[in-house]
Amino acid sequence: NHNNIIDVLGEGIYHKLLYMLYEDLKKNLESNTIIVQSDSNKFWLVTDMEGTEKTAGKIVEIITRPKVINNIPLYVEYSVGISEEFNYHALDSLTAFTSSDICARQAHLKQFNYVVYDNIKQKKRFEYEILMSFNNAIKNNETYLVYQPKIDLKTMKPIGLEALMRWNNPHHGEIGPVVFIPLIEQTRLINELTNWVLKTAVKKIKEFYDNGIETVISINVSAKNLIDPLFFDRSMKIINDSGINKSLLEFELTESSIMANPEESKNVLTKFADKGIKIAIDDFGTGYSSLSYLSRFPVNTIKIDKFFMKEISTSESAQRIVKSTVLLAKELGYYVLTEGIEDQEAAEIVKEFNCDFAQGYYFAQPIKSEDIFAWYEEKLKE
Ligand code: C2E
Ligand code: CA
Ligand code: CA
């Protein structure tokens, strides 16, 4: 009932109330509890639970305690949602918050004191919803591409862009590709997805070209695309219709996706390469393939996985691996790109190793479609 409180009693009292709630929660829950105010009327708490029921009961008790501010007894309408699993190290720890939010909304609708997230059931339902809503997602313009620059380490100028997909889902908000791509890849929808990415990226290549800049744009291609018998013809039609210079388009494939079906992959990739399209091996170093095996494929660039960059400044073994991979890859005639460069030190180390290109937050985050041309043009001028 925060709107009511603000309307009737004013922002000042509302903020006092929030602070009082915060202090009560802080005092009465485990001492290592983290409390974040994530919205004007919302707290997110991370706490060690001695038992879900017990913790939930305690939180409800704290919220419903009488609160008196400036002699006015206030009451708080609330809803509580709980997610029992929170992994500090998991990439998707944010989903614990999102799922708590979903439960809080359910608690509100059903007028329960609190609702606890059923991980498995909800996950299945979430996955089902994602798959069901994906077809319309493209039609409804919920999906879009962002572009992360690739930098030439000799000149420090951009030489290309990687197109990365984003999805703003009307019910779940922004969903990352790490969440939805593996789901979509389990279905034939992955063909439509890549088809859309290709169409959108090719338009961007043309837009750059028409404005006087030739830049290579890479798209991520899935293993499943390579076993779709129509993939080659359908893609070539898009590429030919666009009239772009084919050497401005690059496909990124992870080594594991190539190794899933080496023969088929080789055939279809060779057909694309014969047309002038560039091929890069993504996430190199995380699979089991060797550079010598990859030499059977028509590959231009090896992208060394960002995993190795996490420790590149401190770990000698990470340095040795990257250094020797760059050396050997270049010996075999490939360009080498290191991804996940997050600071100047890492950038200097990979430059020292004679790596050609790099990508990472240190140079640029993925950039919105409407801003990328201006960014690129500016960098070329600098
Ligand atoms: P990827 O192809 O390896 O893309 C690189 C990922 O690393 C991107 O995450 C990017 O935002 C992130 N990144 C860039 N610089 C840094 C850095 O300095 N540090 C760290 N820690 N990360 C960095 P994003 O956009 O969430 O994409 C994740 C994965 O989802 C991609 O990994 C790719 O496998 C897949 N993906 C994204 N877009 C598409 C797509 O259009 N089609 C397909 N099939 N897969 C896609
Ligand atoms: Ca990639
Ligand atoms: Ca990668």
Side-chain angles (χ1 to χ4, degrees):
N1 55 334
H2 74 299
N3 280 332
N4 269 339
I5 298 180
I6 292 173
D7 287 350
V8 178
L9 301 165
E11 293 265 356
I13 296 225
Y14 177 64
H15 285 139
K16 273 191 194 161
L17 173 66
L18 275 188
Y19 197 73
M20 199 178 256
L21 255 175
Y22 165 79
E23 293 224 296
D24 273 0
L25 289 164
K26 191 88 198 160
K27 249 182 269 158
N28 291 285
L29 295 171
E30 297 290 320
S31 62
N32 59 356
T33 298
I34 299 169
I35 305 178
V36 175
Q37 187 189 342
S38 60
D39 204 341
S40 60
N41 61 344
K42 190 195 290 184
F43 285 124
W44 277 342
L45 279 73
V46 182
T47 189
D48 280 336
M49 295 202 286
E50 331 155 30
T52 313
E53 301 291 320
K54 204 169 161 196
T55 309
K58 208 158 156 188
I59 292 174
V60 168
E61 189 267 315
I62 296 166
I63 302 174
T64 50
R65 273 183 208 168
K67 305 221 168 6
V68 181
I69 299 175
N70 298 357
N71 292 323
I72 305 167
L74 298 170
Y75 79 96
V76 180
E77 272 177 19
Y78 64 92
S79 42
V80 176
I82 295 178
S83 174
E84 291 173 302
E85 276 173 47
F86 184 84
N87 182 345
Y88 286 88
H89 303 291
L91 274 175
D92 65 344
S93 54
L94 202 71
T95 57
F97 293 122
T98 335
S99 45
S100 309
D101 282 353
I102 293 171
C103 291
R105 280 196 285 278
Q106 282 176 4
H108 178 71
L109 287 174
K110 296 183 178 152
Q111 306 212 316
F112 292 154
N113 283 347
Y114 61 88
V115 167
V116 180
Y117 192 74
D118 179 339
N119 278 298
I120 293 168
K121 197 172 106 204
Q122 297 284 356
K123 190 161 174 244
K124 285 268 166 298
R125 182 191 306 165
F126 175 72
E127 294 182 354
Y128 178 76
E129 274 179 28
I130 296 282
L131 287 177
M132 292 308 285
S133 54
F134 187 74
N135 254 327
N136 288 329
I138 289 185
K139 285 192 206 101
N140 296 344
N141 292 320
E142 290 161 23
T143 54
Y144 57 98
L145 295 183
V146 290
Y147 296 89
Q148 190 179 37
K150 300 182 178 182
I151 306 292
D152 184 330
L153 286 165
K154 285 211 178 67
T155 62
M156 295 304 270
K157 300 276 180 206
I159 42 98
L161 301 167
E162 175 174 6
L164 293 160
M165 195 166 173
R166 298 290 177 265
W167 181 7
N168 189 0
N169 181 291
H171 301 294
H172 300 285
E174 290 286 343
I175 310 174
V178 206
V179 175
F180 69 84
I181 299 231
L183 291 175
I184 306 295
E185 272 179 338
Q186 290 167 26
T187 72
R188 286 180 201 274
L189 290 172
I190 189 62
N191 295 320
E192 262 180 75
L193 182 149
T194 306
N195 209 41
W196 173 82
V197 173
L198 177 65
K199 269 190 201 156
T200 315
V202 156
K203 265 190 221 146
K204 195 50 115 184
I205 295 176
K206 189 150 189 314
E207 185 190 317
F208 265 74
Y209 187 83
D210 290 344
N211 286 289
I213 297 180
E214 287 201 0
T215 188
V216 176
I217 295 189
S218 320
I219 67 165
N220 291 285
V221 172
S222 161
K224 296 282 161 56
N225 296 137
L226 299 182
I227 52 171
D228 169 16
L230 301 177
F231 180 61
F232 177 74
D233 288 340
R234 205 174 43 221
S235 303
M236 283 317 298
K237 177 153 180 12
I238 294 171
I239 298 163
N240 286 329
D241 287 355
S242 75
I244 59 156
N245 174 347
K246 296 183 187 65
S247 66
L248 297 179
L249 179 66
E250 184 175 60
F251 288 171
E252 293 189 7
L253 290 119
T254 62
E255 43 168 329
S256 51
S257 69
I258 288 185
M259 295 311 160
N261 301 285
E263 277 314 306
E264 269 161 305
S265 304
K266 188 178 155 193
N267 290 340
V268 60
L269 290 179
T270 304
K271 286 205 281 181
F272 281 115
D274 288 346
K275 298 284 182 191
I277 290 152
K278 298 199 166 87
I279 311 289
I281 299 299
D282 207 351
D283 302 350
F284 185 79
T286 54
Y288 295 100
S289 55
S290 63
L291 280 171
S292 65
Y293 188 82
L294 283 177
S295 64
R296 307 169 189 203
F297 296 84
V299 171
N300 302 85
T301 303
I302 303 288
K303 295 184 75 176
I304 304 180
D305 193 69
K306 57 178 177 286
F307 170 82
F308 300 103
M309 305 313 146
K310 272 195 287 200
E311 299 184 330
I312 191 103
S313 317
T314 51
S315 150
E316 238 176 78
S317 71
Q319 287 183 11
R320 270 201 290 270
I321 291 168
V322 174
K323 188 176 181 178
S324 56
T325 307
V326 176
L327 196 72
L328 183 56
K330 298 204 60 158
E331 195 77 10
L332 292 167
Y334 299 119
Y335 288 110
V336 187
L337 181 150
T338 36
E339 44 171 43
I341 301 296
E342 293 186 356
D343 52 46
Q344 190 179 356
E345 205 177 349
E348 273 161 12
I349 291 170
V350 294
K351 190 176 175 188
E352 188 74 12
F353 292 167
N354 209 14
C355 180
D356 302 291
F357 313 124
Q359 218 179 339
Y361 299 157
Y362 172 64
F363 305 103
Q365 301 254 347
I367 296 171
K368 279 198 242 142
S369 177
E370 56 267 35
D371 299 332
I372 187 62
F373 184 80
W375 182 94
Y376 205 107
E377 204 179 26
E378 188 58 37
K379 280 286 161 197
L380 288 183
K381 273 193 228 142
E382 265 176 18

